[in-house]
Amino acid sequence: MTDSPTAASQGSSVPQGIDPPPTSVPQGIDPQKVGSWIARTQGVEIADIGYEVLSVGRSNLTFVVTLAGSKRWVLRRPPLGHTGGSAHDVAREGRIMAALDTTDVPVSHVIEIVDDPEVMGVPFVFMDFCAGFPINTAEEWGRIPTERQEATAFGMVDTLAAIHSVDLDAVGLSDLRRPGSLLERQLRRWLSQFENITTRSIPEIAEVHRVLVDRQPPADLSPTGIAHGDYKPNNMIFGPDGTVRAVVDWELTAVGETLTDLGYFIAMLTVPDELTSIWVPRVSDGFPAADALVARYGEVTGASAESLAQVPYYSAFALWKLACIREGVYTRLLTGQMGDLDFDPEEAGAGVESLAQHALTILEKETTR
């Protein structure tokens, strides 16, 4: 879903002898190769094309592509120096978004998934620009009228429920299913990725992993469906009335226990801001309490009380996974693989141990109930 203009007709030739705009071009974009492709496929002048870093997401790189200064498209590519791994598979991400465009899930319209080394050395997704704003700050939350803020919060829950209700077979994503439990796979995967990328000793990661494995809930207590993997207010685009216009950043999407998403959403809304470096609205800002959000999810999805009682475990898992991801971002920032993204490596790395400890606190609290 998008408010951007429809792309121009295909097949125009690129004007000869015209160089890309002389303005600064972000790392990760070859303005001649990419600009020529855009000009050819969208029927525009290469001299009118510009690029801006979009500060949504800290893994795959996202750029706004402007046309004569107006925001027109979005281009998403893997990090600089990326050599493989599904966590940064933008072609897979684009395919998921394209499939969801036919459902009630709000997503930006994917124009093309490009895997041509003559255009860019890595695959990228080219999509329409969705007008609106994410919620990264109190000021952005304040753009939504006070009387609409509760409805906006519950709308986020309703959108999450819509994601979880997608019929995989009907939208052509049945091949995303994997044998066994998503939770089990991710416990193995993120520990392995952490161990492969970290340059530091952080024993708390292994300790929380051990507890999560020991206390894993029965798989049948969480319905199976599409799990977004990074569902929080700054991964959504909102209209002025607080309506969710698009959910973005589908790079961590998988099929499995959908309570992994709900647990993550609740964790991000309740963990201290300093542990995530991400501002989220709180109860004091007019956002409903966690219990009300979980209850709303139960109303919309029909999830049982027994299932919803597992949400704290999945919140702890979410914080542990976030710690592993954060360590990866920290390492890539240190090694210059995040392009022009303006984010302090030390700030990214500072919360890893604290996130793991917070996850352990949640797990210990649950055992005393």
Side-chain angles (χ1 to χ4, degrees):
M1 296 183 178
T2 178
D3 294 279
S4 63
T6 303
S9 60
Q10 307 287 313
S12 299
S13 61
V14 181
Q16 298 300 310
I18 299 179
D19 293 326
T23 56
S24 175
V25 177
Q27 281 186 284
I29 296 289
D30 182 322
Q32 184 60 54
K33 291 181 178 180
V34 175
S36 295
W37 179 87
I38 294 172
R40 182 179 69 254
T41 61
Q42 306 307 312
V44 299
E45 300 288 336
I46 191 172
D48 291 336
I49 300 170
Y51 309 90
E52 302 171 6
V53 174
L54 182 63
S55 58
V56 176
R58 310 228 183 260
S59 189
N60 285 331
L61 306 181
T62 312
F63 307 92
V64 171
V65 182
T66 62
L67 187 66
S70 297
K71 296 178 180 179
R72 181 71 178 266
W73 302 289
V74 170
L75 187 153
R76 192 153 159 87
R77 57 150 292 166
L80 303 181
H82 175 60
T83 57
S86 61
H88 306 302
D89 188 346
V90 293
R92 177 180 182 273
E93 181 182 19
R95 178 181 168 236
I96 290 169
M97 293 176 61
L100 293 177
D101 201 17
T102 64
T103 73
D104 292 334
V105 178
V107 291
S108 295
H109 173 67
V110 173
I111 297 172
E112 191 166 347
I113 301 168
V114 183
D115 189 4
D116 182 350
E118 295 300 317
V119 179
M120 188 179 288
V122 292
F124 66 91
V125 177
F126 192 71
M127 66 191 90
D128 284 331
F129 176 79
C130 180
F133 56 93
I135 296 174
N136 283 294
T137 65
E139 290 72 25
E140 287 170 335
W141 175 243
R143 293 175 65 176
I144 299 171
T146 302
E147 65 273 14
R148 286 285 307 162
Q149 288 178 346
E150 182 179 78
T152 296
F154 287 132
M156 296 182 206
V157 176
D158 295 349
T159 300
L160 185 61
I163 294 170
H164 295 166
S165 69
V166 169
D167 184 330
L168 290 165
D169 298 315
V171 299
L173 295 177
S174 58
D175 60 304
L176 296 184
R177 293 189 181 99
R178 295 290 182 269
S181 162
L182 170 64
L183 181 64
E184 291 176 350
R185 294 196 304 274
Q186 292 212 337
L187 283 168
R188 292 192 302 269
R189 170 189 174 189
W190 287 110
L191 181 63
S192 174
Q193 292 206 7
F194 172 86
E195 292 173 341
N196 288 336
I197 200 169
T198 188
T199 59
R200 309 183 290 179
S201 175
I202 306 178
E204 290 86 352
I205 294 293
E207 171 62 14
V208 177
H209 178 268
R210 181 189 64 78
V211 178
L212 287 168
V213 170
D214 288 347
R215 300 182 188 174
Q216 185 174 337
D220 60 359
L221 288 183
S222 177
T224 297
I226 292 178
H228 177 274
D230 196 15
Y231 194 81
K232 58 186 187 294
N234 73 345
N235 275 340
M236 295 172 239
I237 304 299
F238 297 88
D241 64 349
T243 301
V244 180
R245 289 183 170 179
V247 179
V248 301
D249 283 11
W250 293 86
E251 63 189 281
L252 299 179
T253 299
V255 173
E257 296 94 327
T258 52
L259 286 184
T260 56
D261 265 352
L262 183 59
Y264 180 83
F265 183 59
I266 297 300
M268 294 302 296
L269 294 169
T270 54
V271 71
D273 291 348
E274 60 266 23
L275 297 187
T276 63
S277 303
I278 297 171
W279 188 91
V280 293
R282 310 286 182 173
V283 173
S284 59
D285 301 303
F287 214 82
D291 288 349
L293 297 168
V294 172
R296 174 64 169 243
Y297 183 86
E299 292 170 7
V300 176
T301 63
S304 69
E306 187 179 10
S307 291
L308 297 178
Q310 311 304 315
V311 170
Y313 171 92
Y314 288 101
S315 290
F317 164 71
L319 295 178
W320 174 81
K321 184 175 79 168
L322 183 60
C324 295
I325 294 171
R326 195 180 179 100
E327 183 68 8
V329 172
Y330 165 74
T331 304
R332 288 195 297 276
L333 284 167
L334 282 181
T335 54
Q337 296 180 39
M338 294 296 287
D340 292 333
L341 188 62
D342 184 17
F343 198 61
D344 180 17
E346 297 308 316
E347 183 182 349
V352 175
E353 292 182 40
S354 298
L355 281 166
Q357 186 57 53
H358 201 82
L360 193 58
T361 299
I362 293 174
L363 293 167
E364 290 172 346
K365 181 179 179 180
E366 285 306 299
T367 61
T368 62
R369 289 189 176 183

